Amino acid sequence: MNLRGVDSMQTGDVGCRRYPSAMAKTKTGENPPTLETSNSSTEPSKEERVLQRPPAEVLYAGEIAKLKEGDSGPKPPGWQLSARAIRTFLLGDERLGIRKKFVGNAALIDRAMVTLATNRGLMLVGEPGTAKSLLSELLAASICGQSTLTIQGSAATTDDQIKYSWNYALLLAKGPTTEALVPAPLYTGMKEGRIVRFEEITRCPLEVQDSLLSVLSDRVLAIAELEGDESSLFARQGFGIIATANTRDRGCNEMSAALKRRFNFETVFPISSARVEMELVRDETRRLLERSAVPTMLGDDVLEVLVTTFRDLRSGETDKGDATTRLSVPMSTAEAVSVAHAVAIRSHYLNASRATPADVLECLVGAAVKDSTEDLKKLRAYMEQRVAKRTEPHWQAFYEARHALPE
Amino acid sequence: MTTIHYVGVRHHSPACARRVAEVITRVKPKIVLIEGPADMNERLDELLLPHQLPVALFTFANEAGQTRSCWTPFCAYSPEWVALTKGRELGADVRFMDLPGWHGAFTKTQNRYSDRSGELQKHWLEIGEKLGVDGWDALWDHMFEQPVEQEELGERLKMFFAMLRADEEVGDRDIDREAFMLGYIGWARGVAEATDGDVLVVCGGYHAARFEREDPPVLSSPPTIPDVSADIRVGTYLVPYSFKRLDSFTGYQSGMPSPGFQQAVWELGPERAGEKYLEQAAKFLREHKQHVSPADLIAASTMAEGLRRTRGHAVIGRSDLLDGIAAALVKDALEVPLPWTYRDVIRPRTDPLLVEVMHLFSGDAVGSLAAGTPQPPLLVDAWAQLEAEDLKVERGSKPIDIDLTTERGRARSRLLHRMKILDVPGFRRESGPESPTDGKFREKWTIWKDKEADTALIEASMFGPTLEGAAAGKLEESLLNAKGRLGMLAAILKQSVFVGVGTLAMEALTLVADAVATEPSLADLGAAVSQLLGLWQYDELLGAGGTGQIKIILEASFERGLWLVEGLQGTTSSADDGLVKAIGALRDLTHADVDGLAVDRGRALSAMSRKSRDREAPPAVQGAALGFVWALSGEDHFAELADEAGVAMRRAARPDTLGDFLAGLFQLAREQFTRVPTLTGVLDEILRDLPEEEFMLAVPALRFAFTFFPPIEKEAVAKQVAVGYGRGPSEAKSLLKLTVSPREIALAIRVEREVDGVIRRYGLIDELPPVREVGGVPPSRAAGSAGVVAPAADGTASVAPSDGDAGGAE
């Protein structure tokens, strides 16, 4: 008899779940769409219009289908696209009408793909907000057509949410059989040969992290409760794990050496070019605004103030090399986009006018700096020492707004 | 029919070298023109002696003491080298066609064969972005270093450089050079047409693109090399070079990276270089104590192979290999980007494993010159002088012990100092006087045979043709660079006395005199004063002329010094003994009064006395100022000042100030302190009353303060302490030496404290001797604004010590 099952039954966990709990934690907040819907048409599906944030394979179903059609490159076993097509999918190709989705270096993508193709785990590490999760989602969507086999790591993550759990009614009625087994992302990924995403893996307890060891090295999952052939699930071709970890929380220092050895590490850096980051923030903000049905877009002057401020306070120096101080909160590009979005929404709904640099400062305090008084001090110092010296009118306007900083 | 074949190259690219080799053997040109210093054309034989590559042409220009230099490095896979050697082999007329390295066009160019940079690179990066390749080295490898048909390679290079040059007009940096080279090509065309031969032009692709477009007309003679103006000294010499140096040019001076790897590409072909380097990487990393398991190596190799396929490469390229190694072997988040994705020195905080890997890819080949290569006079002069004084070693190393009191000893010392100042490796000073006058008369050196020594000497010949001249030239340049900063000037002054260049020292003196009056830093002023004072007192070092000059400077320094002391504020300079040393120097200066130096002792005393009571001044300065007054006031005021010292000590008795204060005091008035046993008592009392935690905070600074006492005086202090505790003076020694380790003492103290805690908690003994509380003393009391620290132990004894519970003595 399965002791663990009984244990959890006694603790009252008898809900008959159709989906493992981790599934419900996927970022879509919805049940994963089936593959058929995402592949059947190149038009935005009905779901896309209703969903707040459709998964990549739905959002880019058209692009993936187009790439598949023209894909003549060699595909690693179990992959739906060749490595070159995937790179095109991520980095974009104007001629094919493929949008650039990931800003970052191509070599990183190459290494990531080869890692997955050579049956090693891929670990994406970096500051929060450097688009690690986005990269992992895009890779999963393009490699196996499904990005929703996702485990969200947290201190409360358990084995059940990673591998499998049981439908206790069936378990009691029929004993441990495959029908009574409720698959979790890892189980499904191995069985179907798909990419499993493990977000924020380092936030899980060490024992939970280490449960991946045998899966990564032997590519087999032991199901002790079942008998015979069913007691081992061998991964099908195409199975792979993409884990992400950010360097702010606990970093990857606490991972066990054994697990580290089974992963290839890739560091995702903030965008190095100011111009590229500016463009990205502009595009992303525009897309978000379209989705929020806000017609006005931020002016370039406002965007410049915003992106430059973020860059300066992130790196601890201006692009010209003058020293500033780094804020303790991560000033990521993603954060910049969300502040830009907030600025536009605010000026549209509240002021009914064009956004000004002053709005940037207010949203910056609320959205980014949050409640850290230290950071507030640093922001004030930045305004006085760096912004004050800039003579352009929009920077002057930004400087004038410093009085709005909370005391 | 004469054809001019232009082969535009990237310098130090194996693919381009192969291209040159192919073209030259195919077309068999009559004339080969190479981008390189035309003034070397008469000395090409020298360059073609059987040297072991890499070697470089080192060119210098010395204009009124300011030097500049330019390197033209060659290795086996340099396209220029291939053109040179193959051209000779085929009997062609081989010539360099560029301006000499001393020409003004090279003022900011250290490496003649660096890549084109800046704006131009933007094109590359855009192309790279389109191809999905990061960085321009990766792009270059992707497009050109992969095995490809020669014709195809030629086409690609041509197209690429044409795009790179586009319609760009010639810039300031290139205008003279390109005109000169065009002239050469025009001349070669004329000569070749007369003999119906071909011309091959090998130069940087950026220039080649323009030359080909302009296709210069026939000229009757090659352009003449401009004359060197009389006041500029120039020279060009061959030097042994190394891969490490080739790889160390940074920023816009850099060329093809990883020469070690490129050499393998050249020797073994691109097919096998990757393989070889993967093998070597494993070996190398293990030798350098990096943990690399066989599984990791398999992973790295698989990664590299996978990347090769993904990127559509025929063979594993440099970036495939490096990327593979990084992906498989680095097991942590990176703090800075991978070193091969940018063009600069390896950034700090780069993963150590990657640093080692880059090191390996650099290679460690060191070139050497063939016997009979002409050498600059400095090289000959230096070794001859050293040999005459028995200071040259043929192998291994040897210690040299010099007695500075003899004339011969000083001569030997000067030679060694000259080599040292020219940065020639192989000469290390182990010990000796800090300044030429500090009273030590022995100097110890270690000298050894260093294979870079000749190179360094050849480079140093830009400063002068003889050892003395070069050392003087080097110092002169530092004088100019010091731009009136007193600290640097004083150091140069000292060096010039060590290396024995009298004239230069005088020059330095003049500059020092100008700098003193406006010097903003007391520490620098102090350093200068002690140098000068020494020189002045031992006037034979500079001769009488210098003495008069120094006297004036010293007087000015005295005024400036007092002024600066008045302004010392703040508590920041805790460990900065530069200030204390400066006050010490002022003391010596004031003390030297007897010799007719016009310094006003009374004014100095009152200024220092004010400073010693200035609570805003750094504690070390307060102590030093008090010491200054005490040391110079004579016996009349001795007792008075001893009392004042006691009061001041109590006032400074905070853990963050006490040690600094004492360090200042002891440096200036150590002797006076040891004469007054009561002061030792005061200090003992202060220390006893410090709560333990605060005492611990104060210990490092206190230890530092007591380092100013020589052992014998330390013992005197210990005697005073022993007597104060009612012990005999003979027990002083036991205070100075610990028979058990500090760790054991700390442990004993802790155990005792825990035991006390338990005893008190259970009320077993009422009348325990007062025990110092650990955390129970309110900081305000210890802060001691009242001047005296109250004893800590009192009725609070019932409070359980903070860590007493953990004892487990129950």
Side-chain angles (χ1 to χ4, degrees), chain A residues 83-84 87 91 105-108 110-111 113-115 118 120 125 247 252-253 260-261 263-267 269, chain B residues 131-134 295-296 299 302-303 306-307 309-312 323 326-328 330-338:
Chain A
R84 226 164 293 165
R87 187 161 65 189
L91 294 177
N105 54 34
L108 167 72
D110 286 351
R111 288 193 300 263
M113 287 189 302
V114 173
T115 296
T118 53
R120 284 172 77 88
V125 287
T247 45
C252 35
N253 298 330
K260 272 188 176 182
R261 220 173 56 226
F263 275 107
N264 279 2
F265 280 64
E266 284 300 336
T267 309
F269 287 98
Chain B
L131 288 171
V133 181
D134 285 320
D296 289 338
T302 322
M303 278 298 295
L307 287 165
R309 290 190 200 177
T310 307
R311 292 167 178 172
D323 276 347
V330 178
K331 293 293 171 198
D332 268 310
L334 302 175
E335 291 189 59
V336 292
L338 296 168

Side-chain angles (χ1 to χ4, degrees), chain B residues 19-34:
Chain B
R19 177 78 196 136
V20 169
E22 195 273 332
V23 175
I24 203 167
T25 31
R26 183 162 45 82
V27 308
K28 301 205 171 46
K30 278 263 159 36
I31 301 179
V32 177
L33 294 181
I34 303 166

Side-chain angles (χ1 to χ4, degrees), chain B residues 186-254:
Chain B
W187 162 79
R189 178 195 292 276
V191 177
E193 269 173 5
T195 57
D196 197 25
D198 280 357
V199 178
L200 173 67
V201 176
V202 176
C203 64
Y206 175 81
H207 303 302
R210 176 177 167 216
F211 298 162
E212 189 159 11
R213 208 169 52 213
E214 304 222 340
D215 210 19
V218 172
L219 283 179
S220 57
S221 62
T224 45
I225 298 167
D227 287 334
V228 192
S229 67
D231 50 349
I232 305 181
R233 205 167 59 80
V234 301
T236 298
Y237 294 100
L238 257 174
V239 281
Y241 215 58
S242 69
F243 279 173
K244 284 271 151 356
R245 297 190 65 168
L246 196 57
D247 213 12
S248 67
F249 283 113
T250 60
Y252 69 90
Q253 299 285 356
S254 58

Side-chain angles (χ1 to χ4, degrees), chain B residues 673-695:
Chain B
F673 178 83
T674 37
R675 277 172 55 194
V676 190
T678 50
L679 283 182
T680 313
V682 172
L683 183 58
D684 183 53
E685 194 185 319
I686 291 172
L687 293 182
R688 225 174 27 205
D689 289 344
L690 270 188
E692 180 158 332
E693 271 181 0
E694 299 195 352
F695 176 71

